[in-house]
Amino acid sequence: MNCPKCNSFNNKKNGKIKGLQRYQCHECRYNYTVELKSTAFHPSVKRQALQLYLEGLGFRSIGRFLGVSHVSVQNWIKAFGPELEDLKSENEIEIVELDEMHTYIGNKKNIVGYGLLLIELGKKFINCSFGSRGTKTGQKLWKKLEKKEIGRVMTDNWKAYAEFLPDEVHTRSKAETYTVEGYNSIFRHFLARLRRKTKCYTKSLGMLKHSVLLLMKYRNNELTILN
């Protein structure tokens, strides 16, 4: 194939990368690999699969829609993990709303809870933590924010909050958490694995964490993969 940078046919072999033959152009010295194999899918198809996943479709539904194996779809979603970074947020946060959710891993007896944080001003997800819906999970979540200046934290009356949130910033009132509770419904609606009545379910905690972070960045408009 000709050079994708200068379109020259003058090239030489220059080793292999990820199993693909690499070439170097004699004209502009640009390194490039051979074209995609006939059985490979274009990156745009994989990005489309990711967007469909974050709009609420399960792996099998996406596979039927794109005409590919649902296992391929699952592998594509997993492969986006190394490109993820921490969620972005300001160092000074005026008001935070905090709420907890729960789901199941593998079966209906293995319950995993996770907390969600939301900046009221601008309505963005900040972070989350996974584990039981108890003090230890809350402490992990609060530790992620220890370098930020937070004005107030609004929670409902779940007893674990009082055990890790400082009294001077903590307000317990169901009336002050309606925004984050509405955002909880985003997870139930747009991640098939989190719906209460569905054939989709989470088999591993790792995939649950991966999916939640992807959706949080997607809803925050921080998922550069889709730009």
Side-chain angles (χ1 to χ4, degrees), residues 21-52:
Q21 180 64 56
R22 185 171 66 171
Y23 296 87
Q24 185 180 73
C25 176
H26 280 297
E27 304 297 332
C28 65
R29 314 303 293 177
Y30 182 71
N31 291 311
Y32 57 95
T33 58
V34 296
E35 295 179 333
L36 290 173
K37 298 178 181 179
S38 59
T39 55
F41 288 91
H42 194 274
S44 63
V45 177
K46 299 178 182 181
R47 288 194 295 270
Q48 186 180 14
L50 174 61
Q51 189 160 14
L52 290 171

Side-chain angles (χ1 to χ4, degrees), residues 24-25 30 44 61 67-68 77 92 101 116 120 124 128 137 141 148 155 167 173 175 184 191:
Q24 185 180 73
C25 176
Y30 182 71
S44 63
S61 297
V68 301
I77 303 301
E92 295 183 10
M101 293 180 65
L116 304 176
E120 186 180 67
K124 291 180 64 178
C128 62
T137 305
L141 186 58
K148 300 183 183 296
T155 74
D167 291 336
S173 172
N184 280 350
L191 283 181

Side-chain angles (χ1 to χ4, degrees), residues 169-198:
V169 299
H170 187 199
T171 298
R172 303 177 68 178
S173 172
K174 191 73 174 177
E176 300 294 341
T177 59
Y178 60 88
T179 306
V180 70
E181 288 173 356
Y183 269 59
N184 280 350
S185 66
I186 289 176
F187 288 89
R188 298 292 188 194
H189 182 76
F190 288 103
L191 283 181
R193 67 182 60 244
L194 294 182
R195 292 179 194 148
R196 297 182 185 278
K197 295 182 179 180
T198 180

Side-chain angles (χ1 to χ4, degrees), residues 5-22:
K5 189 173 183 180
C6 69
N7 209 35
S8 172
F9 287 94
N10 189 11
N11 58 52
K12 66 176 181 179
K13 291 183 178 180
N14 191 27
K16 291 188 176 183
I17 182 169
K18 294 183 179 180
L20 297 177
Q21 180 64 56
R22 185 171 66 171

Side-chain angles (χ1 to χ4, degrees), residues 102-112 193 201-202:
H102 79 275
T103 188
Y104 304 94
I105 303 292
N107 58 65
K108 290 294 182 80
K109 295 181 179 179
N110 190 11
I111 300 177
V112 172
R193 67 182 60 244
Y201 62 96
T202 294

Side-chain angles (χ1 to χ4, degrees), residues 15-172:
K16 291 188 176 183
I17 182 169
K18 294 183 179 180
L20 297 177
Q21 180 64 56
R22 185 171 66 171
Y23 296 87
Q24 185 180 73
C25 176
H26 280 297
E27 304 297 332
C28 65
R29 314 303 293 177
Y30 182 71
N31 291 311
Y32 57 95
T33 58
V34 296
E35 295 179 333
L36 290 173
K37 298 178 181 179
S38 59
T39 55
F41 288 91
H42 194 274
S44 63
V45 177
K46 299 178 182 181
R47 288 194 295 270
Q48 186 180 14
L50 174 61
Q51 189 160 14
L52 290 171
Y53 179 66
L54 297 177
E55 290 292 342
L57 272 68
F59 293 147
R60 293 181 185 274
S61 297
I62 297 171
R64 288 192 295 268
F65 182 80
L66 297 178
V68 301
S69 165
H70 72 276
V71 176
S72 295
V73 174
Q74 182 178 7
N75 290 334
W76 294 346
I77 303 301
K78 285 182 178 180
F80 285 114
E83 300 184 42
L84 292 178
E85 299 176 351
D86 292 337
L87 277 76
K88 301 174 183 178
S89 65
E90 302 294 333
N91 286 328
E92 295 183 10
I93 304 173
E94 183 180 352
I95 298 176
V96 165
E97 293 183 29
L98 194 155
D99 197 22
E100 75 284 348
M101 293 180 65
H102 79 275
T103 188
Y104 304 94
I105 303 292
N107 58 65
K108 290 294 182 80
K109 295 181 179 179
N110 190 11
I111 300 177
V112 172
Y114 55 101
L116 304 176
L117 283 172
L118 178 73
I119 304 176
E120 186 180 67
L121 184 61
K123 295 181 175 62
K124 291 180 64 178
F125 293 109
I126 317 172
N127 222 314
C128 62
S129 187
F130 296 80
S132 65
R133 290 185 293 168
T135 306
K136 288 185 178 180
T137 305
Q139 288 172 335
K140 289 191 296 183
L141 186 58
W142 188 244
K143 186 174 178 60
K144 295 177 181 180
L145 299 180
E146 61 183 2
K147 295 183 179 180
K148 300 183 183 296
E149 296 182 16
I150 296 175
R152 302 295 301 171
V153 180
M154 310 298 185
T155 74
D156 58 22
N157 294 310
W158 184 255
K159 61 181 180 179
Y161 293 130
E163 297 175 1
F164 68 87
L165 291 174
D167 291 336
E168 60 270 21
V169 299
H170 187 199
T171 298
R172 303 177 68 178

